[in-house]
Amino acid sequence: MTGGTWRRQVAVLLRTTTARSLLGRRAAPVLLLAAMPVVLALVRGLLPPGSERVGIGSSTTQFADIFHFFILRFVVFVATAVVFINLFRGEVVERSLHYTLLAPLPRSVLVAGKYLGGLVASVAILGPATVVTFVLYFLPQMRVAPSILLEAPLLGQLLRWLVVMVLACAAYGALFTLAGLRFSNPMLPALLFLGWESLNPFLPPLLKAVSVVHYLEGLTPVPPSVRAFAILGRPPAPWAAVLGLAVIVAVALWASLWCARRLEISYGSD
Amino acid sequence: MTSDRITLHEVSKFYGEVLGINRVNLDLTPGLIGLVGPNGSGKSTLMHLLAGLLRPSRGAISVRGCPPDRPAVMGRLVGYCTQYDSFPAGATGLRFLRTALALHGIEPGQAEHRAWQALERVGLQDAGRRRIASYSKGMRQRVKLAYAFCHDPQVLILDEPLNGLDPMGRTEMIELFGELARGGRHVLVSSHILDEVDRISDRVIMIHGGSVVAEGAIRAVRGEIKSQPIQVLIRCDRPHPVAARALELEHVVEARIVDETALMLRTRDADALFAALGDIVLDSGADIETLLPADESVQSVYDYLIGDGGGRP
């Protein structure tokens, strides 16, 4: 088969997977999760402003906190778990995976197409949610200076928050793709992983390195303010953070490919 | 390596401790082949293995020269209508086939054209834009068939494809299987309804308890079962003298008068009976109208092989 055929096949998989993830019934919990920080930001905006919320610095810190502790560790984590675990597991549950496996697709094309489809879908949902939440956090300042978000440093911060969100989707997505292929009940390992990622601030520096969130924190434009119980350790340099995430994605996708090559259809036992 | 054969050599499949199929050896030339056996006998396991949806625990499989662990080749070579009555969520008949063809790398316009052609061939051209979820069981069966052959594969594997079809639909589909097989394809059709297989093909693979118990033309398989005398129905105007004369033959073990125009003979050697028929006619003065083997159906052969008195020949 030619490279052109493979590209067309990846494009078809990407399109169908994205549509299924965005429009299928499993999209509802992901949309609900994405709406949570927006609703929180709206509620915050409706409350009468206190003196501590007037400054840009205060809004920046508060957004950093909600991004680190809610959006990244909960919303992105759970949303990517739902999207990526179901890339394969969802089709097993629906008993339709055999249609995909009967197509003349090298398993590498299959894994790549589905992973990219999941990535596009999760970014399409979580990206706008991140932007809207960010905008809502700076509404008080925008009332005074409407174009404030289009200027440095806020625009730069927003772009970096988005980059972190996309990389989080990529890294968690690769790991959850693997979980969906490897485990017949991937929710249990996903919960254990959630616990591990949540414990990250309290882990010694060596163990911190064995987590996704550690590398993501190396890329955030603003650190979280709540570090009272954290075991302090310097986040990795941006280049090391990107490298670390790239290694996680590569290893997880390689392992996913290994599992996909051994994939069998036996719905009765799943 | 290219070949026009499907071969299985000592193929076994275990699901943990549970046996799927056991030491199956087959060498299949192109044509229409019935795969028969009761539910749970291993038919679907065998078909999954041939389509590459399962990997054998032991042994080797070659589908027209291709091992089934090469999905990029197998997907083009094989079309599989599975028993699973499930489809991608929200798909219409047209979109289902169009996506399948697009995954073959076929350009969108061509994929649409071929999808409509396949839908027309199974009589679903008017329902192509409807969601499959709204289809009847028979329509779902038809769209699965269209899915199996829309990319023009050389090997068609059809697992219980007549389930849910009305009698007219069954006749149409059986004709379609014949058409598809005439192009030099392998068309392997499974059924647990043995009478149905008689209508589909005279070549069968009989499977029971995960083992192939017989394979080949049904008449040849029947001839191999020496333990069970063959039944021959003779329609004639004087059944009594024909019966008396036939019983003089050493290989005829029973003669039973069915009615005034027919008798049933049981013989251990059908060929010898047919050879002696001319003498019988002369001696008895009867006018023989028809002579029919009465137990060369898949059902009776299967009963002999697997039933109470049967066993592996």
Side-chain angles (χ1 to χ4, degrees), chain B residues 214-289:
Chain B
E215 186 249 319
I218 190 67
R219 187 164 201 178
V221 173
R222 176 65 188 91
E224 290 289 311
I225 308 170
K226 303 294 184 196
S227 62
Q228 292 286 344
I230 292 166
Q231 295 190 53
V232 179
L233 179 71
I234 299 174
R235 291 205 169 277
C236 62
D237 57 345
R238 302 181 64 203
H240 289 275
V242 171
R245 178 68 183 80
L247 279 171
E248 291 172 11
L249 299 171
E250 184 265 334
H251 52 81
V252 173
V253 295
E254 185 185 341
R256 184 163 52 86
I257 304 298
V258 177
D259 57 32
E260 286 309 305
T261 61
L263 78 154
M264 183 79 81
L265 297 180
R266 293 181 75 212
T267 171
R268 284 193 298 270
D269 190 340
D271 290 339
L273 177 65
F274 296 146
L277 208 61
D279 291 340
I280 294 174
V281 169
L282 282 176
D283 294 349
S284 63
D287 185 9
I288 291 181
E289 186 187 325

Side-chain angles (χ1 to χ4, degrees), chain A residues 1 5-6 8-10 12-13 15-16 20 25 94-107 261-269, chain B residues 13 15 48 51-56 71-76 78 80 82 84 86-89 96 99-100 102-108 144 147:
Chain A
M1 263 189 295
T5 304
W6 288 351
R8 272 201 294 277
Q9 289 174 326
V10 168
V12 173
L13 279 171
R15 195 175 63 239
T16 52
R20 191 174 296 167
R25 61 191 168 88
E94 288 168 4
R95 296 187 165 218
S96 62
L97 183 62
H98 58 280
Y99 293 120
T100 311
L101 297 192
L102 287 169
L105 299 166
R107 294 292 157 92
R261 287 195 171 128
R262 280 149 190 79
L263 205 54
E264 293 190 324
I265 293 295
S266 180
Y267 297 136
S269 61
Chain B
K13 177 66 186 175
Y15 302 98
H48 271 39
L53 293 182
L54 290 175
R55 282 175 293 119
V73 181
M74 284 294 290
R76 293 183 193 286
V78 174
Y80 187 12
T82 66
Y84 305 122
S86 51
F87 296 88
F96 175 53
T99 304
L103 282 174
H104 280 75
I106 295 169
E107 300 285 352
K144 281 198 296 183
Y147 165 84

Side-chain angles (χ1 to χ4, degrees), chain B residues 1-311:
Chain B
M1 191 175 69
T2 57
S3 161
D4 69 345
R5 286 168 181 268
I6 295 174
T7 58
L8 289 89
H9 178 68
E10 293 289 302
V11 172
S12 299
K13 177 66 186 175
F14 297 91
Y15 302 98
E17 299 288 310
V18 180
L19 173 72
I21 59 167
N22 187 32
R23 301 186 69 174
V24 169
N25 291 288
L26 289 170
D27 184 2
L28 305 175
T29 53
L32 187 53
I33 305 157
L35 176 62
V36 295
N39 289 328
S41 58
K43 298 190 301 294
S44 294
T45 297
L46 181 59
M47 291 185 146
H48 271 39
L49 286 162
L50 290 173
L53 293 182
L54 290 175
R55 282 175 293 119
S57 308
R58 284 187 210 135
I61 300 173
S62 169
V63 179
R64 293 199 167 213
C66 177
D69 60 357
R70 292 173 57 196
V73 181
M74 284 294 290
R76 293 183 193 286
L77 199 58
V78 174
Y80 187 12
C81 170
T82 66
Q83 250 198 90
Y84 305 122
D85 190 22
S86 51
F87 296 88
T92 64
L94 175 65
R95 198 188 312 155
F96 175 53
L97 298 188
R98 208 172 46 197
T99 304
L101 289 164
L103 282 174
H104 280 75
I106 295 169
E107 300 285 352
Q110 182 69 9
E112 172 112 7
H113 176 66
R114 286 174 68 169
W116 278 119
Q117 274 185 330
L119 286 168
E120 197 175 338
R121 205 156 177 196
V122 295
L124 283 179
Q125 61 272 32
D126 295 332
R129 294 192 192 281
R130 273 171 52 194
R131 286 187 175 224
I132 296 174
S134 72
Y135 284 6
S136 67
K137 167 85 178 161
M139 292 165 84
R140 294 199 299 275
Q141 202 66 22
R142 284 167 187 261
V143 82
K144 281 198 296 183
L145 273 170
Y147 165 84
F149 69 72
C150 67
H151 60 283
D152 196 20
Q154 285 303 299
V155 177
L156 265 168
I157 302 171
L158 312 175
D159 197 354
E160 305 273 1
L162 302 179
N163 275 2
L165 293 177
D166 55 35
M168 180 80 86
R170 284 172 183 245
T171 303
E172 286 172 12
M173 288 305 116
I174 289 170
E175 279 173 19
L176 178 61
F177 303 156
E179 276 175 39
L180 292 166
R182 277 193 282 279
R185 294 184 181 89
H186 282 90
V187 180
L188 187 61
V189 184
S190 82
S191 178
H192 67 281
I193 302 168
L194 304 184
D195 292 337
E196 196 170 83
V197 180
D198 276 326
R199 293 179 61 199
I200 295 171
S201 173
D202 64 350
R203 273 175 76 192
V204 290
I205 299 167
M206 293 185 167
I207 189 165
H208 182 78
S211 297
V212 171
V213 292
E215 186 249 319
I218 190 67
R219 187 164 201 178
V221 173
R222 176 65 188 91
E224 290 289 311
I225 308 170
K226 303 294 184 196
S227 62
Q228 292 286 344
I230 292 166
Q231 295 190 53
V232 179
L233 179 71
I234 299 174
R235 291 205 169 277
C236 62
D237 57 345
R238 302 181 64 203
H240 289 275
V242 171
R245 178 68 183 80
L247 279 171
E248 291 172 11
L249 299 171
E250 184 265 334
H251 52 81
V252 173
V253 295
E254 185 185 341
R256 184 163 52 86
I257 304 298
V258 177
D259 57 32
E260 286 309 305
T261 61
L263 78 154
M264 183 79 81
L265 297 180
R266 293 181 75 212
T267 171
R268 284 193 298 270
D269 190 340
D271 290 339
L273 177 65
F274 296 146
L277 208 61
D279 291 340
I280 294 174
V281 169
L282 282 176
D283 294 349
S284 63
D287 185 9
I288 291 181
E289 186 187 325
T290 54
L291 186 74
L292 290 171
D295 61 353
E296 285 187 357
S297 68
V298 173
Q299 176 74 62
S300 52
V301 171
Y302 198 88
D303 286 345
Y304 290 153
L305 289 169
I306 308 300
D308 293 340

